Amino acid sequence: MSTQKKILITGGAGFIGSHVVRLFINKYPNYQIYNLDVLTYAGNLENLKDIENAPNYHFIKADIVDEKAMLDLFAEHKFDSVIHLAAESHVDRSIEDPLAFVRTNVIGTVNLLNAFRDTWKGNFEGKLFYHISTDEVYGTLGATGLFEETTSYDPNSPYSASKASSDHFVRAYGETYGMPYVVTNCSNNYGQNQFPEKLIPLFIHNIKNNKPLPVYGDGKYTRDWLYVVDHARAIDTVFHDGKNGETYNIGGFNEWQNIELIRVLIKQMDEKLGRPEGESEKLITYVTDRPGHDRRYAIDANKIKNELGWEPSVTFEQGLSITIDWYLANEEWLNNVTSGDYQKYYDGMYAER
Ligand code: NAD
Ligand code: DAU
């Protein structure tokens, strides 16, 4: 039986956060899990319907940018660990409104660090601040090479600059106040419950509805894709076995050029929708590129594999098939999140292209 813990998970109503909350609720009945989320457009309590009545689950609606609210919450609950996922997460939105990213990703993170520091006042035995970050902080790669934990930070978008800043604050609080921490930098996730502004769920939605597939630039940008449940498993591993003050890169050993990935997606979708093979390729539409678009991301995930024994559990084809099936079976979820404000965002974002 695992020991008791009181864990604050921020951003637990979002895409990755909801998978992390579910894994911890089901696997560790002795842990009290507090999901703190302000429920932006990307946060959705529907994502957690299956576990919302679990006795070890608690939801707190709050904004990490609210300094006093964070201090009060920590004073009341004395969380002994934090797994921090709450963030503004979409690169295109960061280009439109960088300050929103500074507020949540930088100021919000520092508010949590301060509240954690002030709660434990140097008595950090058995405590942990776990910060979830991204491979985008490393900037872009050429045709060869991989991001390693020692790769210099070189962020190119307001989103990645805000995440890089938050990573630096976490390390600085470790050095300055002796706070125990770990940071993980993960590659692109895909899977159930991802908001359909991101490539894979957006294209699933558009293929299904015979809408254009807006491919940025020449489509030859490369990403390293990881199934979200495997990211949640990696977070579980690092939370329990990661070493204080360390960074671990997490990736899928799974690089794809966007256009090649889109072709695989179309193949699986056409098959599942009963369309002739390749029929949806006609939807591919090249559009104006994203400014500052990073050419290639690829992760060397050998440190977490060799030191902590984690590796992905599903192949890309399997993960993609599970993901498509989920979106096809959960039309209501998709319709709910794509109505209203999202439609305005979509029309505005893609009209400019
Ligand atoms: P998401 O956008 O789906 O979810 C973010 C969640 O944070 C939402 O539930 C939202 O309501 C909440 N939130 C936002 N601002 C908040 C605030 N001020 N106070 C409280 N809650 C707030 O994001 P995601 O894709 O699940 O990403 C989660 C984390 O993982 C982020 O830190 C992101 O940088 C990181 N990450 C994401 C990926 C990816 O591919 N999606 C890859 C690597 C790292
Ligand atoms: O690498 C990790 C990062 O992955 C995370 O930190 C971010 O939170 C997450 O959003 C993701 O960032 P990307 O910018 O790589 O993901 P996105 O799904 O927006 O885009 C993936 C690729 O597809 C990228 O090269 C841009 C391209 N793209 C995206 C969209 C939305 C298109 O060609 N057309 C599109 O409409």
Side-chain angles (χ1 to χ4, degrees):
M1 199 55 140
S2 50
T3 50
Q4 300 228 346
K5 279 186 189 296
K6 212 168 181 182
I7 306 176
L8 178 71
I9 300 183
T10 69
F15 167 48
I16 301 169
S18 60
H19 288 275
V20 175
V21 167
R22 176 175 300 104
L23 185 156
F24 273 73
I25 289 288
N26 290 332
K27 188 168 173 187
Y28 303 107
N30 266 16
Y31 294 177
Q32 294 301 314
I33 302 298
Y34 291 76
N35 169 19
L36 185 156
D37 199 300
V38 77
L39 302 179
T40 66
Y41 76 94
N44 188 349
L45 290 176
E46 286 292 311
N47 296 346
L48 292 166
K49 267 265 167 266
D50 55 321
I51 55 92
E52 69 182 4
N53 294 319
N56 58 337
Y57 176 71
H58 314 268
F59 176 66
I60 301 170
K61 186 171 189 302
D63 187 346
I64 60 170
V65 180
D66 184 339
E67 182 184 4
K68 182 170 181 313
M70 291 307 106
L71 291 170
D72 290 349
L73 270 173
F74 274 75
E76 181 187 347
H77 294 289
K78 303 213 166 3
F79 306 112
D80 43 36
S81 315
V82 177
I83 305 178
H84 176 35
L85 296 110
E88 289 293 340
S89 68
H90 192 41
V91 173
D92 291 326
R93 288 184 191 253
S94 81
I95 295 166
E96 296 297 305
D97 184 8
L99 265 181
F101 285 68
V102 175
R103 278 186 217 104
T104 293
N105 299 359
V106 184
I107 297 173
T109 300
V110 176
N111 282 340
L112 291 169
L113 289 166
N114 282 340
F116 191 75
R117 179 199 60 192
D118 293 356
T119 302
W120 298 111
K121 300 184 173 59
N123 300 315
F124 289 122
E125 183 67 33
K127 312 293 182 288
L128 181 67
F129 192 102
Y130 180 176
H131 181 58
I132 307 297
S133 192
T134 170
D135 60 356
E136 300 202 9
V137 298
Y138 298 123
T140 190
L141 290 164
T144 57
L146 298 171
F147 293 137
E148 296 177 2
E149 286 79 0
T150 50
T151 302
S152 304
Y153 276 32
D154 193 14
N156 290 315
S157 74
Y159 163 67
S160 52
S162 69
K163 292 296 290 187
S165 170
S166 62
D167 293 10
H168 290 320
F169 270 105
V170 173
R171 289 200 183 88
Y173 272 57
E175 288 298 317
T176 307
Y177 305 110
M179 272 175 47
Y181 73 93
V182 279
V183 177
T184 49
N185 296 82
C186 188
S187 63
N188 286 61
N189 285 215
Y190 69 94
Q192 305 92 304
N193 306 101
Q194 185 168 32
F195 196 80
E197 62 191 352
K198 309 278 165 62
L199 182 75
I200 289 182
L202 172 66
F203 279 35
I204 291 175
H205 185 54
N206 286 9
I207 293 169
K208 192 181 120 211
N209 295 299
N210 274 307
K211 286 172 64 179
L213 304 176
V215 179
Y216 296 168
D218 64 2
K220 293 187 177 160
Y221 292 84
T222 299
R223 298 290 182 265
D224 174 354
W225 294 91
L226 178 67
Y227 182 50
V228 64
V229 174
D230 279 329
H231 188 188
R233 287 176 49 248
I235 290 172
D236 176 23
T237 300
V238 172
F239 179 79
H240 289 97
D241 301 329
K243 291 201 191 76
N244 179 17
E246 291 287 322
T247 288
Y248 299 88
N249 283 350
I250 304 171
F253 302 98
N254 180 41
E255 276 186 61
W256 288 86
Q257 274 192 354
N258 291 342
I259 193 65
E260 296 305 327
L261 179 155
I262 291 160
R263 293 214 168 93
V264 172
L265 184 63
I266 287 173
K267 188 165 184 297
Q268 284 206 16
M269 287 284 294
D270 280 347
E271 209 173 295
K272 288 177 196 285
L273 293 169
R275 294 180 185 167
E277 188 175 334
E279 165 147 302
S280 302
E281 295 216 0
K282 63 173 189 270
L283 300 172
I284 292 174
T285 311
Y286 288 91
V287 298
T288 309
D289 211 347
R290 171 187 279 172
H293 198 171
D294 286 329
R295 193 64 171 165
R296 175 170 168 260
Y297 303 147
I299 283 271
D300 179 348
N302 278 307
K303 179 175 171 183
I304 185 172
K305 183 177 172 198
N306 296 335
E307 293 185 13
L308 306 182
W310 172 89
E311 56 187 328
S313 70
V314 296
T315 65
F316 186 52
E317 282 72 10
Q318 287 166 335
L320 200 57
S321 177
I322 298 168
T323 304
I324 297 170
D325 289 345
W326 185 86
Y327 279 95
L328 294 180
N330 287 274
E331 204 162 335
E332 199 182 321
W333 182 94
L334 203 54
N335 290 340
N336 286 345
V337 300
T338 50
S339 58
D341 279 354
Y342 174 72
Q343 198 52 52
K344 276 186 233 143
Y345 159 81
Y346 189 81
D347 293 344
M349 183 63 69
Y350 289 91
E352 288 162 18
R353 301 198 137 94

